[in-house]
Amino acid sequence: MTSDARFAEVASLAGEPTRVVMLHALMDGRALTASELARVAGVTPQTASDHLGKLVAGGLLSVQQQGRHRYHRIASAAVAHMIESIVQVASVAMPMRRTLATGPKDDALRRARTCYDHLAGRLGVALADALVVGGHIDLTPDAGLLSNSGMALMVRIGIDVASLSPSMSKRGRVLCRPCLDWSERRPHLAGNLGAALCALSFDKGWIRRIDGTRAVRITPAGYRDYRELLDVRLVP
Amino acid sequence: MTSDARFAEVASLAGEPTRVVMLHALMDGRALTASELARVAGVTPQTASDHLGKLVAGGLLSVQQQGRHRYHRIASAAVAHMIESIVQVASVAMPMRRTLATGPKDDALRRARTCYDHLAGRLGVALADALVVGGHIDLTPDAGLLSNSGMALMVRIGIDVASLSPSMSKRGRVLCRPCLDWSERRPHLAGNLGAALCALSFDKGWIRRIDGTRAVRITPAGYRDYRELLDVRLVP
DNA sequence: GGCATCATTCGATGCCGCCCGAAACTTCGA
DNA sequence: TCGAAGTTTCGGGCGGCATCGAATGATGCC
């Protein structure tokens, strides 16, 4: 198999409508069973099984067996990054083309959602903006830097910054990087710090997942603490 | 059209073998005619025209008419980045799978090639290594920083660093960032600085393009100047 | 103006792969 | 050991798409 053929295999695996729904459902980092993914995608279990087998064989998903359930998840950060980059291309406005449909489900996604392991949507962008305005981080299109005041702030709200440094974490993932938001077209916060803020938000009850989707709902406590602790102004 | 359908469209456009060859042939940033792309991909002109029409309609390529020729190029940096990210996923070693075939053509690519607008392959990685070892740049997996000595070095070899800063350049592209090399699995240099070094290498005659491919040949002058100016050790 | 070249459109053909019904396999609980 | 639930395999139907031959625009050169 040539490298070109392998490229085509990967891209076409990600280019089938049913598989797209499955991949996007897994983009929050959770592991879902074949039945759950079949229901999400609106196909029968045997069809879903076929697709999942191909995605696993192609290296896009990894599978973990627990009893009679088989949990599927995004195989690697590289795969998640690839999906993000395809979303970027797919979300650009196209001339001579009617705009993309935006249902009520999309509205919830635009408001606040998870993007692989960090926060996105208006919430994610507002959070990044507030940190930049407060002088806590410095964001350029391709890199991010946490300032001393930012480190102090993170420690104050309960994030152990030291344990997030690239040398400590697996894969050498960077502490802080921007990730272009597909709905807002502006950067939000990714990297280990972005993941930690997302995890903290769930732990503290600032956000809750809507159904089984990537969309999240901001709780009253979330509105209060985001404003008081991080100076993030959100309109319900 | 839903955003999921648009995602599937983009990914499947990049997932057809003939189109893959065309996209990869354009990844060095050049603009090629329909006939040239047809010859590269090994299909008839009418088949190529069909594919190119779809790629343009899908936003992956842009086209520019000059006389009776129509020049096609990668539509945006976002598209180039998407292709790079798919290459990353496609190039991971897969268990229970025979390794990817590596023909003589691939050998030339592995030695030295362009990656969109910067240098890659063993040359690109060696260049990045030499700059890191010399204390001229600091590369982390997600970010790159040019030191004072690095700026002096760039000015000395004829690169106007000031004009490459993100605020000066279009798109706010970052000055210096790493790009994971698909054949070496180690970072090489991208961003405005990577592009400038690549352009300088062509201007000074250090490298020359092989045929019409992304592969480049290092000239004797290149071996000498890379070693004397940048302390890059290369074995012919 | 006439011809050669580049490029696209149209129609026909053939193949690939998505999908589901039926059935087999695996695992868990009783 | 038996039944229920999760998952996979097998087979056939069906739609979509890549491909090429032939013909039709578009452009430049002589």
Side-chain angles (χ1 to χ4, degrees), chain A residues 214-234:
Chain A
R214 299 161 54 204
V216 298
R217 185 171 57 80
I218 306 173
T219 65
Y223 282 110
R224 187 194 61 227
D225 286 355
Y226 281 134
R227 188 182 64 244
E228 294 183 357
L229 298 178
L230 298 169
D231 201 31
V232 180
R233 308 281 166 177
L234 295 165

Side-chain angles (χ1 to χ4, degrees), chain A:
Chain A
M1 176 183 256
T2 70
S3 53
D4 277 357
R6 168 74 180 138
F7 181 104
E9 179 191 13
V10 171
S12 61
L13 279 172
E16 203 279 327
T18 301
R19 287 194 289 262
V20 168
V21 177
M22 293 177 170
L23 289 172
H24 282 181
L26 292 167
M27 270 302 280
D28 55 14
R30 287 176 305 167
L32 300 179
T33 66
S35 306
E36 290 170 326
L37 288 167
R39 190 159 31 78
V40 170
V43 293
T44 59
Q46 60 267 32
T47 299
S49 176
D50 187 26
H51 285 304
L52 292 171
K54 290 175 183 174
L55 289 169
V56 170
L60 274 68
L61 296 184
S62 65
V63 64
Q64 182 180 0
Q65 183 132 12
Q66 274 185 21
R68 52 184 162 182
H69 297 277
R70 302 195 65 185
Y71 289 95
H72 298 79
R73 68 172 70 241
I74 301 288
S76 67
V79 174
H81 186 254
M82 175 187 81
I83 293 173
E84 282 179 16
S85 73
I86 298 174
V87 169
Q88 290 306 322
V89 174
S91 64
V92 301
M94 304 242 325
M96 313 301 292
R97 231 8 171 27
R98 67 179 181 286
T99 56
L100 300 179
T102 59
K105 179 191 163 196
D106 275 326
D107 281 344
L109 283 176
R110 264 179 241 283
R111 192 171 300 117
R113 66 178 182 279
T114 52
C115 170
Y116 195 45
D117 59 3
H118 51 271
L119 293 171
R122 286 200 293 276
L123 170 61
V125 172
L127 187 58
D129 282 345
L131 290 173
V132 168
V133 170
H136 304 306
I137 59 173
D138 183 20
L139 274 190
T140 65
D142 285 3
L145 196 64
L146 186 66
S147 71
N148 287 335
S149 81
M151 288 191 203
L153 175 63
M154 294 306 146
V155 170
R156 201 179 318 137
I157 65 176
I159 291 179
D160 180 13
V161 179
S163 69
L164 300 178
S165 71
S167 57
M168 296 286 293
S169 71
K170 61 189 183 321
R171 294 180 167 286
R173 242 180 85 197
V174 82
L175 173 64
C176 174
R177 72 171 174 91
C179 173
L180 196 57
D181 197 283
W182 71 260
S183 55
E184 297 294 306
R185 309 286 168 78
R186 303 197 37 239
H188 57 245
L189 202 57
N192 283 331
L193 183 61
L197 278 170
C198 178
L200 185 76
S201 296
F202 277 114
D203 286 347
K204 297 274 191 183
W206 295 341
I207 53 176
R208 252 192 277 283
R209 203 172 286 288
I210 298 177
D211 301 328
T213 71
R214 299 161 54 204
V216 298
R217 185 171 57 80
I218 306 173
T219 65
Y223 282 110
R224 187 194 61 227
D225 286 355
Y226 281 134
R227 188 182 64 244
E228 294 183 357
L229 298 178
L230 298 169
D231 201 31
V232 180
R233 308 281 166 177
L234 295 165
V235 284

Side-chain angles (χ1 to χ4, degrees), chain B residues 44-67:
Chain B
T44 60
Q46 59 268 34
T47 299
S49 177
D50 187 26
H51 285 304
L52 291 171
K54 290 175 183 174
L55 288 170
V56 170
L60 273 68
L61 296 185
S62 64
V63 65
Q64 182 181 358
Q65 184 133 9
Q66 273 184 21

